[in-house]
Amino acid sequence: MNNKKVVLVVGAGDATGGAIAKRFAREGYVACVTRRSADKIQPLVEAIQAGGAQAHGFACDARKEEEVIALVEQIETEIGPIEAFVFNIGANVPCSILEETARKYFKIWEMACFSGFLNGREVAKRMAKRQRGTILFTGATAGLRGAAGFAAFAGAKHGIRALAQSMARELGPMNIHVAHVVVDGAIDTDFIRDSFPEKYATKEQDGILNPEHIAENYWYLHSQPRDAWTFELDLRPWNERW
C-alpha cells in the first residue's frame, strides 16, 4: 500500500476545488478528487500529473451513502491515509420562496449540506483512529445570513456551518482540525464571466476571488500548529461590501 499522505477534495470543480487539489499536490500529497461525472474530473487529474504529482479521479455521488463509504474505503485501502479532506460542493440556485419547489429545495440541501455530513463522517472515522487530520468545509455568505431569493441555499449553508462547528468541538480534542471557510464574493470562473460580465470586468482590479489565492488559504489552515487553530476564515475581495 502506498502510504503517502492523501488529500481528498469532494467537489473538485474547474475553479476552487481544482486549485485546492493542485495546491496540496505541490506539497507532495496524493490528490484524490471527485465529481459526479468521471469525464469532468479527468482534465484535472491529467493537469496534476503533468506537473509531476500524483492524482486519482473518482466518479462519486456525494449524496449516496453507499458510494461515499466505498470511496473512502478504496482510497484508504489502495492509496493511503486521508490526512486532509475538503468539502467543496456549492449548489447556489436562486429562487423566490413563492416559487420554490419541495423537490429543488431538498436537492439543494442534499448537495450542499447532507453530502457534507456523509463525507465528513466517513473521513472522521478514519482520522479519529489515527488521532490526526484536517477537515475543511467551503462555506458562503449564505451560511451567515439569508438573502431574499436564496432560502434553499441559505438553509443548506447554515446547516453545513453548524455541522462544522459541532465536528470541530467534538474532534478537536482528538487532534483533528475542523475549519469552515466563508467565501464571500464572486470567484474567477466561466460562470461568472458568462453570466455577470460587469462583475467579471473587475478582475483587473482584484475585484473577484482568484481560485489559487483561495487554495493558498486552505493550505494555510491545514498547516496551522494546533496551539493556534482557526475555526472560521472569511475570504473576500478588498472592495466587496459586507
Side-chain angles (χ1 to χ4, degrees), residues 1-207:
M1 174 176 146
N2 184 347
N3 285 313
K4 286 191 175 182
K5 296 180 179 179
V6 171
V7 58
L8 171 59
V9 182
V10 172
D14 299 327
T16 303
I20 293 169
K22 292 176 181 177
R23 181 65 183 87
F24 277 75
R26 290 206 309 269
E27 300 293 336
Y29 281 65
V30 180
C32 291
V33 292
T34 80
R35 293 181 73 167
R36 276 185 289 177
S37 171
D39 294 339
K40 289 184 177 180
I41 203 68
Q42 194 57 30
L44 173 60
V45 172
E46 293 175 357
I48 293 173
Q49 292 173 340
Q54 295 185 51
H56 302 271
F58 300 89
C60 179
D61 189 335
R63 303 168 298 172
K64 305 298 184 183
E65 185 173 24
E66 64 279 5
E67 291 190 28
V68 172
I69 292 173
L71 170 72
V72 173
E73 174 66 21
Q74 182 179 358
I75 293 172
E76 289 271 341
T77 302
E78 300 178 5
I79 301 174
I82 300 170
E83 298 290 343
F85 165 67
V86 177
F87 178 77
N88 189 60
I89 295 178
N92 187 354
V93 183
C95 184
S96 166
I97 193 65
L98 303 177
E99 300 172 357
E100 188 64 273
T101 65
R103 179 181 177 276
K104 187 155 68 68
Y105 187 100
F106 183 73
K107 184 176 180 180
I108 291 171
W109 172 79
E110 266 194 319
M111 293 173 64
C113 185
F114 180 65
S115 59
F117 152 70
L118 288 177
N119 286 268
R121 181 195 67 188
E122 288 308 304
V123 171
K125 288 178 180 178
R126 306 300 180 123
M127 292 181 176
K129 292 179 180 178
R130 292 189 287 265
Q131 293 287 291
R132 68 176 189 273
T134 301
I135 296 175
L136 305 175
F137 292 97
T138 298
T141 311
L144 306 179
R145 61 182 184 271
F150 291 88
F153 184 59
K157 282 300 183 181
H158 270 71
I160 204 71
R161 184 175 185 239
L163 171 71
Q165 288 178 343
S166 293
M167 290 180 65
R169 292 184 169 103
E170 180 176 349
L171 300 177
M174 301 179 194
N175 195 36
I176 300 170
H177 184 189
V178 181
H180 178 254
V181 183
V182 179
V183 180
D184 180 20
I187 302 173
D188 186 358
T189 63
D190 292 342
F191 172 75
I192 296 297
R193 182 194 63 201
D194 298 338
S195 302
F196 304 96
E198 292 184 4
K199 184 66 176 178
Y200 193 80
T202 67
K203 174 181 177 179
E204 299 302 320
Q205 292 79 44
D206 299 323

